[in-house]
Amino acid sequence: MSGGHPTAKEALGARRVGAPLQALLWTGGLALLLLSIAVAVTIGPARISVPDVWSVVASHLGFGTSELSPIRDGIIWNLRMPRTLLAAVCGAGLAVCGTVMQSLLRNPLADPFVLGVSTGAVVVVVLGVGGGAVSLSAGAFVGALCSFALVLLLSHTLGATTDRVVLSGVAAMQLFSALTSFVVMTSADAEQTRGVLFWLLGSLSGVGWGEVALCTAVLAVCLVICLAHARTLDAFAFGQEAAAALGVDVARTRIVLLCTTALLTAALVSSAGAIGFVGLVLPHAARALTGSGHRRLLPVTALAGAVFLVWVDTLARTVLDPQEVPVGVVTALIGVPAFVLVLYRTRSAS
């Protein structure tokens, strides 16, 4: 791999990953995810066991009754379970977005926020909180899509090449970051400012089943779309000109997949805030297991991202209990050294 990006030779070699290994990765990853969710829900001030978690989940799904007290039942079902599931969904979604963008833009440093989606969400959130005009989730979603529309407009005006799409995203990110800083600095409410800054670094506290259902539905639809374009993404490993020669509609594919990743990122940001490094690091780690074939890579990356963020969120809410650490702080502390290691191994292999 050259510069962290799959070469044509690697893209072809990725198809040699055997079906038994693929089945093992998927089955093992799914089992690890389910076990991680069950164990993560038990961690906290209240003493809860894994059988308690299964009992409560089964009772709420209509497969029996739970003998736990209403308080413990509420802790599991209304507090910890939605948060843990949303962490899994966000981890999977951000990792998938990073995988698609790194292949589509042929940039190993691309991640879900390279198009300025998160910073666009933040501006509307800040303005909405300050004026009381829009809710947190709705404001973040609208802001994210507005930011992406600006990126598309800039890149189309300049000529929609891969480099110009990335540069347009950087420009939009800087613009919305400046607007966010201005609004936060001029806010007179210290508590409100603290809440916004905490959200900027990612927070899964206070989420409910509504956010879980919305994000899960968006993730499912977007993952299906990305898997349907798996072979097309493989063709991009040869470059855009080669992909076009192979019959790929480069412009249409880029718009469809960029819109898909922007929609998914907007939904996740609107519920959990801006969580970085998941979409940057996890795709590189997954490629080391599966190769660069996207039909195998995308599901494994989603499972890896889900498991990763479940444990990151568990660490964030318990390491300084009763105080909570923003999830984005923990992902950065883990992600930066991991990414340096990825770059070092990539350089050694090139």
Side-chain angles (χ1 to χ4, degrees):
M1 185 158 47
S2 177
H5 187 80
T7 63
K9 181 179 180 181
E10 288 170 330
L12 291 174
R15 298 182 181 179
R16 299 174 185 170
V17 177
L21 176 59
Q22 176 184 345
L24 178 62
L25 287 174
W26 291 0
T27 305
L30 183 58
L32 180 60
L33 175 59
L34 293 176
L35 180 61
S36 297
I37 292 173
V39 174
V41 172
T42 67
I43 299 176
R47 292 186 178 181
I48 296 172
S49 65
V50 172
D52 292 339
V53 175
W54 293 123
S55 173
V56 169
V57 172
S59 67
H60 281 274
L61 294 179
F63 298 104
T65 58
S66 172
E67 297 181 356
L68 295 181
S69 66
I71 295 179
R72 289 183 178 273
D73 184 285
I75 291 174
I76 295 174
W77 186 254
N78 296 323
L79 295 179
R80 295 186 187 175
M81 185 60 72
R83 174 170 182 154
T84 304
L85 290 178
L86 185 60
V89 171
C90 288
L94 293 174
V96 167
C97 289
T99 302
V100 172
M101 295 188 68
Q102 288 171 13
S103 300
L104 191 65
L105 301 178
R106 289 184 58 81
N107 187 333
L109 299 180
D111 75 346
F113 300 146
V114 74
L115 298 181
V117 174
S118 62
T119 49
V122 168
V123 171
V124 179
V125 166
V126 175
L127 293 175
V129 172
V134 292
S135 69
L136 181 69
S137 297
F141 189 77
V142 171
L145 295 184
C146 288
S147 175
F148 179 64
L150 175 61
V151 171
L152 288 183
L153 178 62
L154 289 174
S155 60
H156 179 74
T157 302
L158 298 173
T161 64
T162 297
D163 291 339
R164 289 186 175 119
V165 171
V166 174
L167 292 175
S168 298
V170 173
M173 187 186 309
Q174 293 299 322
L175 171 63
F176 287 115
S177 293
L179 290 175
T180 301
S181 299
F182 175 77
V183 173
V184 170
M185 289 182 63
T186 55
S187 174
D189 190 339
E191 185 64 26
Q192 178 188 101
T193 300
R194 181 181 181 278
V196 170
L197 291 177
F198 193 85
W199 187 87
L200 285 172
L201 297 173
S203 175
L204 292 166
S205 61
V207 300
W209 285 106
E211 290 91 341
V212 174
L214 173 63
C215 292
T216 301
V218 175
L219 171 62
V221 172
C222 293
L223 183 57
V224 169
I225 294 174
C226 293
L227 285 172
H229 289 81
R231 293 188 180 275
T232 303
L233 286 169
D234 291 342
F236 272 88
F238 298 87
Q240 294 185 26
E241 294 181 359
L246 291 172
V248 176
D249 188 338
V250 173
R252 175 186 172 277
T253 300
R254 183 189 292 130
I255 290 296
V256 169
L257 291 179
L258 287 180
C259 288
T260 299
T261 54
L263 175 65
L264 179 53
T265 304
L268 299 178
V269 168
S270 68
S271 298
I275 303 174
F277 283 97
V278 177
L280 182 62
V281 176
L282 268 297
H284 294 285
R287 284 191 189 97
L289 297 174
T290 67
S292 300
H294 287 80
R295 190 172 296 276
R296 298 178 177 89
L297 176 62
L298 287 171
V300 172
T301 306
L303 289 172
V307 172
F308 174 75
L309 203 58
V310 164
W311 286 110
V312 165
D313 178 60
T314 303
L315 180 63
R317 65 180 173 82
T318 58
V319 66
L320 295 180
D321 186 62
Q323 185 177 356
E324 182 175 323
V325 180
V327 178
V329 172
V330 182
T331 58
L333 292 175
I334 298 174
V336 171
F339 189 62
V340 170
L341 178 61
V342 169
L343 291 179
Y344 177 78
R345 295 185 63 180
T346 299
R347 178 184 177 185
S348 301
S350 61

